Amino acid sequence: MESGEIRGSRKKSRRLCCIVAVLAVVLLLIIAIALGVSLSRRGNEFKNTFMQRCEKFEGYNCTEIWDAFQKAYVDRDQCDVPPEAYDSLIEAAPLETSCNRMMFWSKTKDVAQDLAAKGDCFLTVERTLLGSVLDGLTWCGKRGSDETLTTGCPEWNECVKNPVRSFWNRVSAAFGDAACGDVTAMLNASIPTPFDPKSIFASIEVKRFKSSKVKKLDIVLVTEMNSVTNCTNKSLQDLQNILTECLYCSSDPNKSCGSCW
């Protein structure tokens, strides 16, 4: 091959490399734009769902509630959103008191929701405004962004202070604070420990009950044909002890929180 032919071949190779490089950059830009549009669309869909659900409840400013909600997690580390970050959201949409109708549940969500939906006898946290608006949804933010993301968010057990887990812990605490009159709790009798000390009901809600407001707690055990537990289960005795402790502590203003819990 002559030297001229070699130089021509090299020029063609360089030209081809340049074309490939340009195409690669264009392709990356297209992917980035498409990804950005997709994420933006998902964020808009999330907000639309939030607003549509919120507007079913009369007498609330859903725009203010959305703004208070976003402030809890936008521009924050996804694993550093504590429950108290939602305090302003609870203030914007306080839970209404519904004495004698409030139902708490643990590992019986489907049954509890079906029962609450069929009449006006029971109110679960998922049927309050905030619970209804965010039930079944996933969200988070990220540092340096004011976006609401719906993908790539931490799983429930991935970190304790993730946005979804902290929200449900905070709204459940408010639901426990609002408990009054005769209260019902639906527990799963198909597991060895229906009153699970790690559950939200045991670790948060029960401990927010006030003896001056809650007159009685009825426990409903959801059973199957071959139930593994009954009302004599030790965990239910633990629940009774906790309620007794609540009454003991609340009746004596000189008792410190540490001596009670």
Side-chain angles (χ1 to χ4, degrees), residues 87-229:
D87 284 353
S88 60
L89 175 63
I90 299 297
E91 292 176 4
L95 278 70
E96 295 182 5
T97 299
S98 187
C99 295
N100 305 314
R101 294 180 54 239
M102 298 181 72
M103 175 181 281
F104 297 81
W105 57 268
S106 180
K107 298 178 176 62
T108 57
K109 180 179 179 179
D110 291 342
V111 179
Q113 301 316 318
D114 287 345
L115 185 60
K118 289 179 180 177
D120 197 36
C121 296
F122 296 105
L123 175 71
T124 62
V125 68
E126 291 81 10
R127 296 185 68 79
T128 63
L129 185 151
L130 293 178
S132 176
V133 165
L134 292 167
D135 189 26
L137 300 182
T138 298
W139 67 92
C140 62
K142 65 178 180 179
R143 284 288 188 186
S145 172
D146 60 358
E147 291 181 296
T148 293
L149 307 177
T150 58
T151 59
C153 299
E155 298 291 336
W156 182 271
N157 290 320
E158 189 172 333
C159 52
V160 175
K161 295 181 181 180
N162 70 69
V164 175
R165 181 169 179 168
S166 289
F167 165 76
W168 286 109
N169 285 345
R170 182 62 185 89
V171 77
S172 295
F175 198 61
D177 287 336
C180 57
D182 293 346
V183 175
T184 302
M186 183 176 287
L187 307 181
N188 190 341
S190 299
I191 58 177
T193 309
F195 182 65
D196 182 354
K198 296 180 181 179
S199 67
I200 288 180
F201 175 61
S203 64
I204 296 177
E205 292 171 330
V206 166
K207 295 183 178 181
R208 308 289 290 220
F209 288 179
K210 298 176 178 60
S211 61
S212 59
K213 296 171 58 179
V214 177
K215 304 305 179 185
K216 181 175 68 172
L217 174 62
D218 293 322
I219 301 297
V220 177
L221 292 178
V222 178
T223 64
E224 295 180 354
M225 292 297 294
N226 298 317
S227 175
V228 299
T229 191

Side-chain angles (χ1 to χ4, degrees), residues 17-33:
C17 288
C18 290
I19 292 173
V20 170
V22 170
L23 289 175
V25 171
V26 171
L27 181 59
L28 288 173
L29 287 173
I30 292 173
I31 292 173
I33 292 171

